[in-house]
Amino acid sequence: MERKEISNAVIKRLPRYHRYLGELMESGVERISSNDLSEKMNVTASQIRQDLNNFGGFGQQGYGYNVEYLYNEIAKILGIDRQNNMIIIGGGNFGQALTNYSNFERRGFMIQALFDVSHERIGKSVRGIRTLDMKDLEEFLSGCHIDIAVLTVPKNSAQEVADRLIACGIKAIWNFAHLDLKVPDDVVVENVHLSESLMQLSYRISEKRDKEGSGQNS
Amino acid sequence: MERKEISNAVIKRLPRYHRYLGELMESGVERISSNDLSEKMNVTASQIRQDLNNFGGFGQQGYGYNVEYLYNEIAKILGIDRQNNMIIIGGGNFGQALTNYSNFERRGFMIQALFDVSHERIGKSVRGIRTLDMKDLEEFLSGCHIDIAVLTVPKNSAQEVADRLIACGIKAIWNFAHLDLKVPDDVVVENVHLSESLMQLSYRISEKRDKEGSGQNS
């Protein structure tokens, strides 16, 4: 499939379309108009049409969308129609929480191993997934195709670990460490900076407080 | 402070400015030009100036920014110059991981209690923070000012829990449940949808694979 450049905003909305279509399928809906989908998702119908037109449309004027077909097509666009193998670096609370989150598997993201430096954790299993010694990272990666490495290590070791992963050929990093990784152009990074998300919420709270304080109730 | 409407994109960048300024302070830098800050952060200098001008500027032409002053001003804008009290609903792996993450406290986000429905968890403490029975949520909230409720409950109970929180006067929800909460206009919600973040990464991987497949190496 040839792709044109798609804006970040569209890419961010695709998983949400996928989620809503999945829910519609579960409740037995076979066909939906962009207007009805728009109302459900709180996005304008023209936005939905525009977003989907980036990938060739999928709807027939006046007939709406076939829910299952659109769901599967969006899955293909998102690359979740195939298995993605993952490893998690950092077997602390956060790494364990991610390992225990079985929803990822349902979308084809399979965790193959956890890695840690702590002797208390090495050798233990979380939901059947082994915790291996960080020392053995290179050996493990030489024998196993991994699509995504998840980084839940402390900030001060994150770049060093990323460098090791990249040297082993890892091309995608899901980064929970609170720094911006330096990576070559052919490596993709998706950041989850929880502190920053919390600060955005705090901004919204302050903004509301100020508005209420100055009598402009929103 | 009166505020004008600030775009989401700007609000998303503010915590990142705050983080970089904090790192500069730690390494003893007192003053920085927007050009140097721009190079460090991989954002254009004009973007930085534009973003900060939304809040009145803070720089003097030709003199750059006073790092500590700008750091403190951005903290005020983000509302992290004061204490924000939080409760976490859902004491599973994820709720525990968040409770164990001491970085939040350093920014004034204080977790006052965890809530759960599981009798195995109720009564236990995580880092000195008690796990209380969900039954006692209303009573707890009637005696204690909480700014932010963190939702790490399963998707199918999230809306019901949100409704209870809102009935008790909670005005801000940090939502990790994988659904879009329905809330009144005066309640702010910040979502962390991990599956969607992972799908965005998967999209990037597919996009790259397709490009390579069609011979247009990026």
Side-chain angles (χ1 to χ4, degrees):
Chain A
M1 176 170 49
E2 286 254 2
R3 299 191 188 221
K4 52 177 181 165
E5 278 308 318
I6 307 295
S7 79
N8 273 331
V10 178
I11 298 163
K12 271 183 202 296
R13 281 192 293 267
L14 286 176
R16 202 163 160 256
Y17 290 127
H18 188 258
R19 168 156 56 95
Y20 272 84
L21 290 162
E23 287 170 8
L24 287 169
M25 272 168 68
E26 275 173 29
S27 42
V29 177
E30 291 180 4
R31 192 162 272 284
I32 192 163
S33 67
S34 52
N35 282 330
D36 288 351
L37 189 58
S38 132
E39 207 168 296
K40 236 181 128 56
M41 294 192 56
N42 206 14
V43 179
T44 66
S46 85
Q47 171 94 84
I48 294 178
R49 283 190 295 265
Q50 232 173 53
D51 284 353
L52 297 179
N53 278 338
N54 281 306
F55 305 98
F58 313 119
Q60 238 181 308
Q61 194 75 41
Y63 288 86
Y65 298 106
N66 176 316
V67 172
E68 191 177 347
Y69 175 73
L70 186 54
Y71 178 84
N72 290 331
E73 288 300 309
I74 292 180
K76 277 186 215 165
I77 294 167
L78 287 168
I80 54 173
D81 58 328
R82 61 188 285 285
Q83 182 169 326
N84 279 290
N85 288 325
M86 308 206 290
I87 52 171
I88 297 183
I89 318 287
N93 281 285
F94 216 83
Q96 289 189 31
L98 293 174
T99 309
N100 276 307
Y101 193 57
S102 58
N103 264 348
F104 296 147
E105 275 160 33
R106 293 201 299 134
R107 296 184 180 86
F109 297 100
M110 312 305 281
I111 301 170
Q112 303 296 341
L114 273 162
F115 283 88
D116 207 287
V117 290
S118 143
H119 287 288
E120 277 176 39
R121 292 188 191 128
I122 294 165
K124 292 201 177 138
S125 285
V126 179
R127 222 163 49 93
I129 296 159
R130 293 165 305 161
T131 307
L132 305 178
D133 193 330
M134 259 314 268
K135 274 189 208 148
D136 301 328
L137 178 71
E138 281 77 7
E139 200 191 321
F140 177 89
L141 287 175
S142 72
C144 178
H145 178 75
I146 295 296
D147 301 283
I148 297 169
V150 186
L151 267 196
T152 69
V153 298
K155 182 175 176 169
N156 53 16
S157 58
Q159 184 64 55
E160 187 200 318
V161 172
D163 292 344
R164 282 175 67 185
L165 290 163
I166 293 164
C168 294
I170 290 288
K171 298 291 185 200
I173 297 176
W174 198 24
N175 175 41
F176 286 79
H178 199 210
L179 86 168
D180 300 316
L181 294 172
K182 289 182 185 74
V183 302
D185 283 347
D186 67 339
V187 174
V188 287
V189 176
E190 173 77 20
N191 292 305
V192 180
H193 289 328
L194 292 179
S195 301
E196 300 192 3
S197 165
L198 190 49
M199 287 188 213
Q200 286 168 42
L201 181 58
S202 157
Y203 176 89
R204 298 284 182 207
I205 298 171
S206 304
E207 183 183 47
K208 203 158 57 73
R209 192 186 303 121
D210 290 346
K211 273 189 188 160
E212 281 160 9
S214 65
Q216 314 164 17
N217 283 300
S218 63
Chain B
M1 174 171 52
E2 288 253 3
R3 299 193 188 218
K4 50 177 183 167
E5 279 307 320
I6 306 294
S7 80
N8 273 332
V10 177
I11 297 164
K12 271 185 202 297
R13 282 193 292 268
L14 286 176
R16 202 163 160 257
Y17 290 128
H18 188 258
R19 169 157 55 96
Y20 272 81
L21 290 162
E23 287 170 8
L24 287 169
M25 271 167 68
E26 274 173 28
S27 41
V29 178
E30 290 180 2
R31 191 163 273 283
I32 193 163
S33 68
S34 52
N35 283 330
D36 287 352
L37 189 57
S38 131
E39 206 168 295
K40 236 181 129 58
M41 293 191 56
N42 208 12
V43 179
T44 66
S46 86
Q47 172 94 84
I48 294 178
R49 283 189 296 263
Q50 233 173 51
D51 284 354
L52 297 179
N53 277 339
N54 281 306
F55 305 97
F58 312 118
Q60 238 180 309
Q61 194 74 45
Y63 288 86
Y65 297 106
N66 176 315
V67 172
E68 189 178 348
Y69 175 73
L70 186 55
Y71 178 84
N72 290 330
E73 288 301 309
I74 292 179
K76 278 186 214 166
I77 293 167
L78 288 169
I80 53 172
D81 57 329
R82 60 188 286 285
Q83 184 170 325
N84 279 290
N85 288 326
M86 309 206 292
I87 53 172
I88 296 182
I89 317 288
N93 281 285
F94 216 81
Q96 289 187 30
L98 293 175
T99 309
N100 275 308
Y101 193 56
S102 58
N103 263 348
F104 295 149
E105 276 160 33
R106 293 201 300 133
R107 294 182 180 87
F109 297 99
M110 310 305 281
I111 301 168
Q112 301 298 340
L114 272 162
F115 283 88
D116 207 288
V117 291
S118 144
H119 287 289
E120 276 176 40
R121 290 186 193 131
I122 294 166
K124 292 202 177 138
S125 286
V126 180
R127 223 162 49 92
I129 296 158
R130 294 165 304 161
T131 307
L132 305 177
D133 192 331
M134 258 316 268
K135 276 190 205 144
D136 301 326
L137 179 70
E138 282 77 6
E139 198 191 322
F140 178 88
L141 287 174
S142 72
C144 179
H145 178 75
I146 295 296
D147 301 285
I148 297 169
V150 186
L151 269 195
T152 69
V153 298
K155 182 175 176 169
N156 53 15
S157 57
Q159 184 64 53
E160 187 200 320
V161 171
D163 292 343
R164 282 176 67 186
L165 290 163
I166 292 165
C168 294
I170 289 288
K171 298 291 186 200
I173 297 176
W174 198 25
N175 176 41
F176 287 77
H178 199 209
L179 86 168
D180 300 315
L181 295 171
K182 290 183 184 72
V183 301
D185 283 347
D186 66 339
V187 174
V188 287
V189 176
E190 172 76 21
N191 292 305
V192 180
H193 290 328
L194 292 179
S195 301
E196 300 192 3
S197 166
L198 190 50
M199 287 187 212
Q200 287 167 43
L201 182 59
S202 157
Y203 176 89
R204 298 284 180 204
I205 298 171
S206 303
E207 183 184 47
K208 203 159 55 76
R209 193 184 304 120
D210 290 346
K211 273 188 189 160
E212 281 161 10
S214 65
Q216 314 165 19
N217 284 298
S218 62

